[in-house]
Amino acid sequence: MPRFSANLGFLWPELDLIGRIEGAAAAGFGAVELHWPYDVPADDVRAACTRHDLVLLGVNTDVGDASRSEFGLGAVSGREADFQALVDQSIAYCRDSGARSIHAMAGVTAPDERIAARSTFLRNLEVASKKAARHDLTLLLEPINPRDKPGYFYSRIGEAAELIQELGATNVKLMFDVYHVSVTEGDVLKRLERFMPMIGHIQIAAVPSRAEPDEGEIAYGRVLKAIDALGYEGWIGCEYKPRADTGAGLGWIDALGLGASFRR
């Protein structure tokens, strides 16, 4: 049976980060994952996760300058030093908090700069993967659908897979977000089967709403069974935007027949 992680970038948004960690533990999650926790001391996050016996999975590299609509810098030519500084920040936070992985955010790039952007991202990932490996950390690559983030460097899971194959670094893996994959290209079950050997983490949300995974186009009961049958042993991140109260929305667990097997 898959194990589920609470993505605290979206869940319990009315609480501060420590409160969200407590909410995840009370709801029965066994792990949590974060977006950009850098305004909260890593030692405080580690202590809260330890206190509630939660595994801390990972963080994202910071977006850069949000006031300029930056959303990551990994593929942005001319910002290589800035990206590596963000990677260093994430590595330090992982070391101090106990997190295990870093989503290396590629950023928004112009269509006519894609060839240069790809080369930039490859070079950046080569450096970042070596730095992460020294601390036994995994880098995750996640394409983001063009509806939610127009102009993001990549949107198709195969693009990330090609980068990983070209890099040849054992600590660089796919972040397979079922929501993004479905919105961009569909055929989720076949893509899970094809890319499973390269997947380091999976995330779920309803399509097209990105709400709890008990509505919309994706039959998550079938998807979760397929993930299990394919031998995936990692966590599945619940990275959805609650329709209303996070706790009340957790009825999807029973609706999908997970019940007591979900709760610790």
Side-chain angles (χ1 to χ4, degrees), residues 78-111:
R79 302 293 299 280
E80 291 86 348
D82 293 330
F83 175 72
Q84 293 302 331
L86 296 181
V87 169
D88 293 342
Q89 176 191 41
S90 295
I91 289 173
Y93 201 92
C94 286
R95 291 181 62 194
D96 291 342
S97 67
R100 304 172 174 181
S101 65
I102 299 167
H103 168 206
M105 298 194 67
V108 174
T109 60

Side-chain angles (χ1 to χ4, degrees), residues 69-218:
S69 299
E70 291 179 343
F71 201 65
L73 299 176
V76 181
S77 299
R79 302 293 299 280
E80 291 86 348
D82 293 330
F83 175 72
Q84 293 302 331
L86 296 181
V87 169
D88 293 342
Q89 176 191 41
S90 295
I91 289 173
Y93 201 92
C94 286
R95 291 181 62 194
D96 291 342
S97 67
R100 304 172 174 181
S101 65
I102 299 167
H103 168 206
M105 298 194 67
V108 174
T109 60
D112 60 353
E113 297 175 351
R114 285 194 54 80
I115 294 175
R118 190 180 190 278
S119 296
T120 296
F121 200 24
L122 272 171
R123 291 194 302 270
N124 272 333
L125 289 173
E126 184 176 9
V127 175
S129 64
K130 290 176 181 177
K131 291 194 289 189
R134 297 186 196 114
H135 305 284
D136 198 26
L137 296 172
T138 298
L139 292 186
L140 297 171
L141 304 188
E142 179 187 31
I144 296 177
N145 79 77
R147 185 180 69 199
D148 284 5
K149 185 53 66 174
Y152 196 71
F153 169 70
Y154 53 5
S155 62
R156 296 180 177 273
I157 199 72
E159 295 176 277
E162 289 175 359
L163 288 168
I164 291 171
Q165 289 173 328
E166 197 165 332
L167 276 169
T170 58
N171 67 324
V172 183
K173 302 286 186 180
L174 290 174
M175 176 108 80
F176 192 106
D177 188 315
V178 175
Y179 167 76
H180 288 305
V181 171
S182 180
V183 171
T184 302
E185 49 196 327
D187 209 8
V188 168
L189 296 180
K190 285 296 184 183
R191 296 187 198 284
L192 279 167
E193 181 179 354
R194 177 181 174 185
F195 295 111
M196 183 57 70
M198 304 172 71
I199 292 175
H201 189 52
I202 295 174
Q203 294 176 328
I204 61 173
V207 177
S209 66
R210 208 173 189 180
E212 286 87 346
D214 57 2
E215 66 174 47
E217 302 172 1
I218 302 297

